[in-house]
Amino acid sequence: MGNASGLAVITVMLVTTFLTSLVIVLCWHRPPLLALAFLLFFGSIEALYFSASLIKFLEGAWLPILLALILMAVMLIWHYTTIKKYEFDLHNKVTLEWLLALGDRLGMVRVPGIGLVYTDLTSGVPANFSRFVTNLPAFHQVLVFVCVKSVPVPYVFPAERYLIGRVGPPGHRSYRCIVRYGYRDVHQDVDSFETELVETLATFITLDASYRCSEASERELELDPGEQERRLTVIASNPLRRRASYDLQDSVQHSAASTVEVRATAADSLSPRDAEISSAAGPKQVRFFIDSHVVSPEAAENKQVADELEALAAAREAGTAFILGHSHVQCKPGSSVLKRLAVDVGYNFLRRNCRGPDVALRVPPASLLEVGMVYVL
């Protein structure tokens, strides 16, 4: 045990010295000569201890090397298969227009509620969802493709967490939301995430309507649909977000139906719309108050935003479903033995013994809908 721990400790010290010399140059922006001097001074001392520990390799020092190789193999298998799954999704994604055009022949219907489809893609419709709706031609009235990304920073400010965009034209009621977390951020619980998401979507609808009516957007709307879909907005950093208020109040005197009221005010033309949601003790009632002069001076545009907000409010009242993929991975026929061992045996064993995405995302079991998908890599 002494030989094993000695080799492990001195190896860690030697690797730390090499990485610190890189930090001196790349992060601290010090002269390379200083980093070289640091590496030669400390590295030469640690190299002597490292060579001495290698003499005891057959007397127990092989244990940390073996453990390191096993852990490295696990990480390589997981990383390799995850990348291949992402490439499979990327090559098999479809557009929402193609999906809806196919739905005309399948008799596709929209059911009440909000459907949150979790995917790793930042554009297009994932293959598991397209397979789901072609076999069961129905999806929710409001559809949100949620992509949770981890960024290489400790924390992401709440004002920069949500990126919102449209998938298809406004009449489709389909959106894309990229949620960014730092590696030290704590994921939100489902209730607060759902509330913030609906608030963000309502703010995006009003903001997008005013932007589409501006002169700048008229020039940019000439882009192809793929470019328009890749346009995302950081909603929380906009002043409109700070003015949006969602006041949930208990009331048993209101009906269960969601209503939308449009009112014109005499405020300044740059004032944002105010949104107010009031909920009853049983079914909730949602009201969005919209300043018509902010959206557009034309009543038609104002009516379109009001209808979209009403659809969002009604969908929130109907409930939210979390749609996640349940994947099974297998190799293509003719793959090498090493690949079959890594993917068919190694990755599937790790996936079965790791916590699922529903646990990591804190999805309630009553609202969970898993869609099976076989990845042939």
Side-chain angles (χ1 to χ4, degrees), residues 275-338:
E276 179 183 352
I277 301 179
S278 58
S279 62
K284 291 174 286 187
Q285 181 174 4
V286 183
R287 284 196 181 95
F288 296 93
F289 294 107
I290 309 169
D291 295 339
S292 60
H293 62 276
V294 178
V295 178
S296 173
E298 300 178 359
E301 183 67 28
N302 196 24
K303 180 66 165 57
Q304 179 183 357
V305 176
D307 291 342
E308 195 168 359
L309 292 176
E310 183 178 11
L312 178 62
R316 173 67 187 277
E317 298 303 318
T320 303
F322 297 83
I323 305 174
L324 279 74
H326 185 81
S327 61
H328 178 74
V329 182
Q330 64 184 33
C331 290
K332 295 179 181 179
S335 299
S336 63
V337 177
L338 181 61

Side-chain angles (χ1 to χ4, degrees), residues 118 187-190 322 324-326 351-365 368 370:
Y118 284 84
H187 285 221
Q188 302 158 288
D189 59 272
V190 173
F322 297 83
L324 279 74
H326 185 81
R351 185 185 56 83
R352 287 192 300 266
N353 290 275
C354 294
R355 63 177 185 174
D358 55 326
V359 179
L361 298 172
R362 302 181 181 181
V363 176
L368 175 63
E370 289 189 317

Side-chain angles (χ1 to χ4, degrees), residues 66-178:
L66 179 62
L67 294 177
L69 291 176
I70 293 175
L71 293 177
M72 186 172 64
V74 168
M75 291 186 288
L76 284 175
I77 290 172
W78 187 270
H79 178 72
Y80 171 80
T81 312
T82 303
I83 293 298
K84 290 299 182 181
K85 286 175 59 180
Y86 179 79
E87 292 176 354
F88 183 91
D89 284 335
L90 199 62
H91 294 153
N92 291 275
K93 68 179 181 180
V94 299
T95 61
L96 187 65
E97 288 77 8
W98 177 87
L99 198 61
L100 293 178
L102 181 65
D104 294 337
R105 299 193 297 270
L106 298 176
M108 191 175 296
V109 296
R110 306 290 290 266
V111 298
I114 299 177
L116 302 182
V117 183
Y118 284 84
T119 175
D120 291 331
L121 300 178
T122 57
S123 63
V125 177
N128 57 358
F129 182 75
S130 61
R131 179 171 299 183
F132 167 72
V133 296
T134 51
N135 289 278
L136 182 63
F139 57 93
H140 294 81
Q141 191 68 33
V142 175
L143 195 62
V144 184
F145 294 95
V146 180
C147 179
V148 180
K149 292 292 185 182
S150 297
V151 293
V153 295
Y155 300 100
V156 175
F157 293 109
E160 300 176 356
R161 189 176 305 280
Y162 294 94
L163 289 169
I164 303 292
R166 289 192 183 275
V167 180
H172 285 179
R173 306 288 192 266
S174 299
Y175 311 92
R176 185 176 306 281
C177 176
I178 299 179

